[in-house]
């Protein structure tokens, strides 16, 4: 183990020096061990990170909440297929309790990829539309249908009570048509899944009922309904605050409105993208803005 860690460290230093070189070979890091970072939010709540897309070697899937209750551990999402053992190892590093429940915030494989790894004895919970979306995935066909959510809900549901309580909310379409917001009320923490993935244009998966038109309203609803939180766990970036979520709502509302207005004015997607600036949103990128605009155009075209 020690040698592996040393090797990992050396590789990290090596990759850092390569990063400055003109053409770093991408395969060098890909061969490394599967490493997931862990962030402690509370004594009984951790987040498994390494969730930033873009680097195939370190991208493990979305942020996973690890909630330790009297009856066992609840995971919110379970990362990409192939990362199950790495998830389990990290959970074991903070508790000896078994994983008894997985909440899938939505259908995508970087949030549901290890339902099968954790086995049929784990209770899987998701919004009813997410279960329907998962049923279309090859990963849940045939014998693997037993790893689909056994428990679903429509608008709101509560699991557990007292300090172990978890509230699940559905507020409408956005990233998909089945995105769950997960609240740990006694800890004042909200997990948004990919309804707040990053500080950039949202991904609206129209094949799974996502909507960049409805997205801002859906975010407004969670902001209005879930007030008693201090910490927000986003889908694919570092921990945020409710103020960050409010800012993201304003950003998405601006972007969606701009796309709709540009379309009505007969502008192309390229022109709409060129005339949208993220400058008034500190720290925001525009790498995914064009995709969000395209999703609005696709949704509204007759
Ligand atoms: Zn997603």
């Amino acid at each position: 183990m020690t040698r592996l860690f040393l090797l990992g460290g050396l590789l990290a230093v090596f990759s850092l020096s390569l990063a400055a070189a003109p053409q770093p070979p991408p395969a060098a890091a890909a061969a490394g061990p599967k490493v997931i970072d862990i962030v402690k939010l509370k004594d009984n709540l951790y987040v498994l990170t390494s969730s930033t897309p873009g680097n195939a070697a370190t991208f493990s899937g979305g942020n996973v909440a690890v909630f330790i209750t009297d009856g066992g551990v609840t995971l919110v999402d379970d990362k990409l297929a192939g990362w199950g053992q790495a998830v389990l190892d990290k959970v074991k590093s903070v508790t000896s309790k078994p994983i008894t429940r997985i909440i899938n915030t939505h259908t995508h494989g970087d949030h549901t990829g290890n339902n099968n790894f954790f086995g049929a004895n784990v209770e899987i919970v998701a919004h009813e539309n997410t279960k329907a979306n998962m049923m279309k995935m090859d990963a849940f066909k045939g014998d693997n249908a037993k790893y689909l959510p056994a428990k679903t809900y429509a608008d709101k549901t509560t699991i557990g009570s007292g300090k172990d309580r978890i509230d699940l909310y559905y507020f409408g379409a956005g990233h998909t048509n089945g995105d769950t917001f997960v609240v740990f009320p006694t800890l004042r923490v909200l997990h948004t899944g990919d309804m707040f993935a990053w500080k950039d244009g949202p991904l609206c998966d129209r094949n799974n009922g996502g909507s960049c038109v409805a997205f801002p309203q859906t975010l407004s609803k969670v902001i209005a309904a879930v007030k008693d939180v201090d910490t927000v766990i986003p889908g694919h970036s570092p921990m945020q605050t409710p103020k960050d979520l409010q800012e993201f709502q304003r950003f998405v509302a601006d972007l969606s409105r701009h796309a709709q207005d540009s379309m009505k004015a007969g502008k192309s997607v390229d022109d709409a993208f060129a005339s949208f600036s993220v400058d008034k949103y500190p720290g925001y990128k525009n790498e995914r803005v064009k995709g969000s605009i395209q999703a609005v155009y696709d949704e509204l075209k007759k």
Side-chain angles (χ1 to χ4, degrees):
M1 278 311 266
T2 312
R3 284 186 64 184
L4 263 180
F5 278 125
L6 275 173
L7 183 59
L10 281 172
L11 275 175
V13 173
F14 188 51
S15 335
L16 275 176
S17 61
L18 275 177
Q23 282 179 323
K34 287 185 158 63
V35 178
I36 294 176
D37 291 323
I38 187 163
V39 173
K40 180 177 182 176
L41 292 185
K42 310 281 176 184
D43 284 341
N44 57 341
L45 183 65
Y46 295 80
V47 182
L48 307 183
T49 59
S50 308
S51 58
T52 308
N55 183 341
T58 57
F59 178 57
S60 62
N63 283 328
V64 169
V66 179
F67 184 46
I68 304 165
T69 75
D70 284 346
V73 176
T74 292
L75 300 184
V76 179
D77 289 340
D78 58 22
K79 293 193 178 283
L80 282 168
W83 286 78
Q85 188 60 48
V87 169
L88 183 58
D89 290 346
K90 273 296 172 197
V91 171
K92 280 183 171 170
S93 75
V94 293
T95 179
S96 56
K97 290 185 177 173
I99 294 167
T100 52
R101 181 186 298 119
I102 295 168
I103 298 164
N104 292 135
T105 59
H106 64 287
T107 188
H108 291 150
D110 54 332
H111 300 259
T112 61
N114 296 294
N115 282 17
N116 60 346
F117 176 88
F118 291 106
N121 295 327
V122 172
E123 178 186 52
I124 298 176
V125 188
H127 185 262
E128 58 190 16
N129 294 346
T130 283
K131 181 177 183 179
N133 290 334
M134 289 167 78
M135 289 171 75
K136 295 182 289 180
M137 295 168 71
D138 286 344
F140 295 102
K141 285 190 175 147
D143 199 35
N144 286 334
K146 60 179 177 286
Y147 306 116
L148 285 165
K151 181 173 177 174
T152 61
Y153 75 101
D155 300 313
K156 189 195 169 189
T157 192
T158 290
I159 301 168
S161 61
K163 65 180 174 50
D164 291 344
R165 175 174 168 154
I166 307 169
D167 294 330
L168 309 186
Y169 296 88
Y170 176 71
F171 291 115
H175 181 62
T176 69
N177 64 355
D179 300 284
T180 290
F181 292 90
V182 182
V183 179
F184 306 102
T186 55
L187 302 181
R188 301 177 61 88
V189 176
L190 161 67
H191 192 313
T192 64
D194 284 356
M195 285 302 294
F196 181 17
W198 42 58
K199 293 187 173 183
D200 198 337
L203 195 158
C204 304
D205 176 4
R206 300 193 64 252
N207 289 328
N208 283 302
S211 169
C212 272
V213 175
F215 213 120
Q217 294 96 294
T218 303
L219 288 175
S220 290
K221 287 180 195 166
V222 68
I223 289 165
V226 180
K227 292 195 175 300
D228 297 326
V229 295
D230 305 313
T231 306
V232 174
I233 304 171
H236 291 277
S237 43
M239 299 310 110
Q240 307 288 338
T241 66
K243 274 186 84 171
D244 294 311
L245 178 61
Q246 289 162 25
E247 181 184 51
F248 183 66
Q249 192 282 330
R250 291 193 297 275
F251 171 80
V252 176
D254 255 11
L255 177 53
S256 183
R257 172 52 48 206
H258 175 78
Q260 293 175 55
D261 289 348
S262 301
M263 190 177 173
K264 277 188 203 124
K267 288 185 186 166
S268 68
V269 170
D270 281 330
D271 286 347
F273 173 56
S275 56
F276 185 80
S277 169
V278 300
D279 289 354
K280 64 173 160 163
Y281 299 96
Y284 273 68
K285 293 181 178 172
N286 68 353
E287 291 169 7
R288 297 172 184 270
V289 162
K290 192 173 165 182
S292 308
I293 293 172
Q294 183 69 58
V296 168
Y297 274 59
D298 291 346
E299 186 173 345
L300 296 181
K301 76 166 174 250
K302 302 257 156 42

